[in-house]
Amino acid sequence: MRLPRALVTAALATAFLVGAGHAPQAVAGELPADTTFFTDPDSQVNKWVAANPGDSRQPRIASRIASQPQAVWFARYSPSTVTADVRKVTSAAASKNQVPVLVAYMIPNRDCGGASAGGAPDLTAYDAWARNFAAGLGSGSSIVILEPDSIALISCLSSSELSARYASLARAASAIHAASPKARVYFDAGHSAWNSASVQASRLRSASVLTSGDGIYSNVSNYNRTSNEVAFAKSVLGQLGGSGLTAVIDTSRNGNGPAPDNAWCDPHGRKVGENPTANTGDPAIDAYLWIKLPGELDGCAGAAGSFSPDYAYELAG
């Protein structure tokens, strides 16, 4: 059951009036080990599998990639439809008693003008988009991966722009919690081969993760081994003190670890990693998730976000 529109509107208004860092958080603690994550029938890989039953690559891609629950990205700026787009996913997940993983990827200056450049035209527009995104989440459980690279990749921002981004991220998380109390919002921790744990923790603190977030995520769209990411995430959490925050790790492409030259953009020789699960055996790590969608390109072997059956086949091997 979704919250009545009037309650959603009132809650969102309250969150934005009190400001970042004062919205109610989702219930803290590890996800139940038997959590089943949402498998999106409308994902690019599932559409390709359905449309290509005679392709020799199809069985491997279907069994190893399409069968696994993966995140749903909201990366195209469509403020008038985002509420309905999110609600379509959360409603489908609720009908199957599954927990959806949704990626909010719309912050201005995202990717600092790289292959995944785009986002909302400015932070005022982003705040409105975030409220609309939140309004589609409903009352069920969900995981929101808030703005990959938004805290780890800041080289293109001035100090004032960075402060404004941090405040906007906090407002977005507050809006999500106000609209959907069972949503868990995870903030960007980069990954173990990028910024140090102390640097990343300082930035996360500036973005109000301690009061607006439920945890952190690492390794999104990267290839670092799970053991390294778990150690790194725990180090970041340690730097943040006894906050009660937890972490999720992207294991979608880390089965072989990083490329020998640390190439990050569509490198060959990589494999999918651990299947998505909340049964990590570690109270600090809520889940291993497939956040980056295996087979969707980074922007070097084709347009960023486009699906490559050749790359998917290689990852699935």
Side-chain angles (χ1 to χ4, degrees), residues 127-143:
D127 287 350
W129 181 90
R131 293 193 296 270
N132 292 340
F133 173 94
L137 290 171
S139 58
S141 297
S142 62
I143 287 176

Side-chain angles (χ1 to χ4, degrees), residues 196-211:
S196 70
S198 60
V199 165
Q200 201 64 29
S202 176
R203 294 179 184 181
L204 284 159
R205 195 183 297 272
S206 295
S208 301
V209 70
L210 294 175
T211 49

Side-chain angles (χ1 to χ4, degrees), residues 73-187:
W73 287 64
F74 293 84
R76 290 186 298 175
Y77 185 61
S78 52
S80 63
T81 66
V82 65
T83 301
D85 295 340
V86 171
R87 184 173 293 136
K88 179 181 178 182
V89 172
T90 55
S91 297
S95 72
K96 299 178 180 180
N97 293 315
Q98 297 176 343
V99 175
V101 178
L102 307 101
V103 182
Y105 192 50
M106 201 57 61
I107 200 80
N109 291 320
R110 73 182 187 203
D111 202 28
C112 278
S116 296
D122 53 47
L123 287 177
T124 298
Y126 177 74
D127 287 350
W129 181 90
R131 293 193 296 270
N132 292 340
F133 173 94
L137 290 171
S139 58
S141 297
S142 62
I143 287 176
V144 177
I145 304 299
L146 185 64
E147 301 298 336
D149 293 345
S150 61
I151 297 175
L153 179 59
I154 60 172
S155 57
C156 59
L157 303 177
S158 67
S159 60
S160 61
E161 290 171 333
L162 180 58
S163 295
R165 171 178 285 192
Y166 286 157
S168 191
L169 289 170
R171 288 193 296 270
S174 296
I176 289 167
H177 286 135
S180 184
K182 290 186 179 180
R184 293 183 60 80
V185 183
Y186 295 83
F187 281 53

Side-chain angles (χ1 to χ4, degrees), residues 155-276:
S155 57
C156 59
L157 303 177
S158 67
S159 60
S160 61
E161 290 171 333
L162 180 58
S163 295
R165 171 178 285 192
Y166 286 157
S168 191
L169 289 170
R171 288 193 296 270
S174 296
I176 289 167
H177 286 135
S180 184
K182 290 186 179 180
R184 293 183 60 80
V185 183
Y186 295 83
F187 281 53
D188 172 36
H191 59 72
S192 61
W194 200 346
N195 301 311
S196 70
S198 60
V199 165
Q200 201 64 29
S202 176
R203 294 179 184 181
L204 284 159
R205 195 183 297 272
S206 295
S208 301
V209 70
L210 294 175
T211 49
S212 297
D214 299 291
I216 61 174
Y217 58 83
S218 70
N219 210 42
V220 169
S221 299
N222 217 277
Y223 308 87
N224 298 301
R225 294 191 183 277
T226 302
S227 58
N228 292 340
E229 293 308 301
V230 168
F232 172 72
K234 287 183 174 181
S235 184
V236 174
L237 294 173
Q239 292 281 338
L240 291 169
S243 62
L245 299 177
T246 48
V248 296
I249 309 295
D250 187 354
T251 60
S252 61
R253 304 191 298 183
N254 71 349
N256 275 355
D261 56 357
N262 288 318
W264 63 268
C265 190
D266 303 322
H268 290 291
R270 304 308 94 206
K271 304 295 180 188
V272 294
E274 291 97 335
N275 289 344

